[in-house]
Amino acid sequence: MLHVRSIWNGAISFGLVSIPIKLVNATESHSISFRQIHTEDGGRIRYRKYCDLEDREVTSAEIGKGYEDADGTIIPITDDDLSHLPLPTARTIEIVAFVPADRIDPLQMDAAYYLAAGGAPAAKPYTLLREALKRSNKVAIAKYALRGRERLGMLRVVDEAIAMHGLLWPDEVRAPSGVAPDVDVTVNAKELDLADALMDTLGEVELSDLHDEYREALEEVIAAKAAGESIPDAPAPASGGKVLDLMAALEKSVRAAQESRGEGSPAREGDVSEGAVPEEDSAEEAQVRRLPQRKSARTAPKQTAGKKSTSTATKKTAAKKTTASAGKSTTKSAQGTKKTAAKKTVAVKKTTAAKSAAKSVAKKATPRKRSA
């Protein structure tokens, strides 16, 4: 059980079953906060609460609540006024439904809490609800009251505990109208193939390996200032390269990702896709930054057969190899022809010489006729 102070005590209402619980924060912030100071002497800057009508500072006991109407009129609201509001969920997390988890839009997600069993008597009903949620593969939708207003929540199982996510009410989530580009844009298959190749090259990551580099650097600065040491130098900004168009940006991103992970030999810098816009004719340029070296090796990207994402450099290399092979074959063939012709010439010369020698011998062997 977490040794953290509970922020709310109540019960889960599960039909006629009541489960005493304590509400505990499930998250914590590690961000570094600053105080406002007077730069001349380092004194703290504080805010005092003044009354506009009396122009004097007032104490916390004199401060209450008020609602400002559209015309600027302030309507006082007392705690007694609020106590008469019908809030059946004031100390109860009332489960109203069970739905599949994919029915919940992540945009509705708010703060997260753990629900801790409130003592030994709550162990059995707590476990019953947890195991029922596991077996159903559903989440529970509940209503509860916290900090003076009714809220919506979602209960789910995390390890062996029940967690509750505060949910925004559906009418609190804005529609994304006017956010997407309002111009007609066509994305071709090759661009999608390159985007897919970039996604495969980047691969997956363990979320536990990610950390807040800015906060770590800020902690080093604070520690150096406290120790009277010089502030460590800031890391050099990542170098960016100007590219010609979206296709070139995608290709260059894939090459950079492959280089950073030591996968194969990258294509040449000058090789870009067909139809690239010349630099002087480019209406706008994209910025591509070289990806940093990852700590751990990832799985090599999937090889997709039949896709059009083969780089132009690979095609050129294959063409050069084919031309070189053809050249070598032609040279060998010509050399073979020359050797054969030379052999035939030697053979003809030898045959002619042999015939001439044979004739000479025959002449010498033939006897001359004697005269009478």
Side-chain angles (χ1 to χ4, degrees):
M1 180 176 175
L2 294 175
H3 297 287
V4 182
R5 183 177 64 87
S6 62
I7 61 173
W8 186 90
N9 294 337
I12 299 174
S13 174
F14 178 29
L16 297 178
V17 178
S18 181
I19 310 171
I21 56 95
K22 296 179 180 180
L23 198 67
V24 177
N25 282 321
T27 61
E28 58 187 2
S29 174
H30 292 165
S31 62
I32 298 174
S33 58
F34 295 102
R35 301 289 188 184
Q36 288 187 327
I37 62 171
H38 188 197
T39 55
E40 292 187 3
D41 54 20
R44 285 278 303 276
I45 300 298
R46 300 182 182 276
Y47 293 95
R48 303 180 184 274
K49 298 180 179 180
Y50 275 80
C51 173
D52 287 343
L53 298 179
E54 298 183 13
D55 193 23
R56 69 176 181 87
E57 186 178 355
V58 296
T59 63
S60 297
E62 299 176 88
I63 299 175
K65 299 182 184 70
Y67 176 80
E68 185 175 0
D69 207 351
D71 59 359
T73 304
I74 300 296
I75 304 172
I77 303 294
T78 66
D79 291 338
D80 185 60
D81 296 331
L82 298 176
S83 65
H84 292 84
L85 294 177
L87 277 179
T89 56
R91 285 293 170 184
T92 304
I93 298 175
E94 181 184 358
I95 295 177
V96 296
F98 292 88
V99 300
D102 58 8
R103 286 270 303 277
I104 306 301
D105 190 335
L107 287 173
Q108 286 187 257
M109 295 288 189
D110 203 355
Y113 309 94
Y114 287 129
L115 304 182
K124 182 64 179 285
Y126 184 97
T127 304
L128 172 63
L129 176 58
R130 182 191 66 199
E131 296 304 314
L133 287 171
K134 282 184 181 180
R135 191 166 71 170
S136 67
N137 290 323
K138 293 183 177 181
V139 296
I141 303 300
K143 287 183 175 183
Y144 66 102
L146 183 65
R147 299 186 180 96
R149 70 183 185 93
E150 189 174 46
R151 301 168 187 261
L152 195 62
M154 178 190 76
L155 277 62
R156 68 183 184 96
V157 178
V158 177
D159 292 337
E160 296 302 313
I162 298 175
M164 182 174 71
H165 295 268
L167 297 178
L168 299 175
W169 295 97
D171 60 357
E172 292 180 318
V173 179
R174 293 177 176 177
S177 57
V179 177
D182 57 356
V183 294
D184 292 334
V185 178
T186 301
V187 178
N188 59 46
K190 188 171 183 180
E191 290 169 339
L192 286 174
D193 289 342
L194 280 172
D196 184 58
L198 179 58
M199 292 168 63
D200 288 341
T201 304
L202 292 176
E204 299 181 359
V205 67
E206 289 292 336
L207 294 181
S208 58
D209 293 340
L210 302 178
H211 54 95
D212 189 346
E213 296 179 2
Y214 176 81
R215 177 172 58 85
E216 292 173 356
L218 184 56
E219 289 173 347
E220 292 180 5
V221 170
I222 294 174
K225 293 276 287 186
E229 301 173 354
S230 59
I231 298 177
D233 294 333
S239 58
K242 296 289 185 179
V243 296
L244 303 181
D245 61 0
L246 178 59
M247 290 293 294
L250 289 170
E251 288 179 341
K252 193 166 185 177
S253 298
V254 172
R255 287 197 297 268
Q258 290 174 343
E259 287 179 19
S260 68
R261 295 172 57 174
E263 296 177 358
S265 57
R268 295 178 302 173
E269 283 293 317
D271 293 340
V272 295
S273 63
E274 297 180 2
V277 181
E279 188 170 0
E280 61 270 17
D281 296 336
S282 177
E284 60 180 289
E285 296 176 331
Q287 188 77 14
V288 176
R289 297 188 181 278
R290 186 170 296 280
L291 298 176
Q293 183 71 33
R294 294 198 178 186
K295 294 182 179 180
S296 57
R298 302 282 182 242
T299 307
K302 297 182 289 186
Q303 300 295 331
T304 306
K307 286 193 174 183
K308 297 181 180 179
S309 59
T310 306
S311 66
T312 308
T314 306
K315 292 180 180 179
K316 289 185 177 180
T317 305
K320 288 182 178 179
K321 289 183 177 179
T322 304
T323 305
S325 300
K328 290 181 179 179
S329 301
T330 305
T331 304
K332 289 183 178 179
S333 177
Q335 291 176 351
T337 304
K338 289 181 179 180
K339 289 182 178 179
T340 304
K343 287 181 180 180
K344 288 182 178 181
T345 303
V346 173
V348 170
K349 288 182 178 180
K350 287 183 178 179
T351 304
T352 306
K355 287 181 180 181
S356 300
K359 286 182 180 181
S360 299
V361 172
K363 287 182 180 180
K364 290 181 180 181
T366 304
R368 293 181 180 176
K369 290 183 180 181
R370 296 180 179 179
S371 56

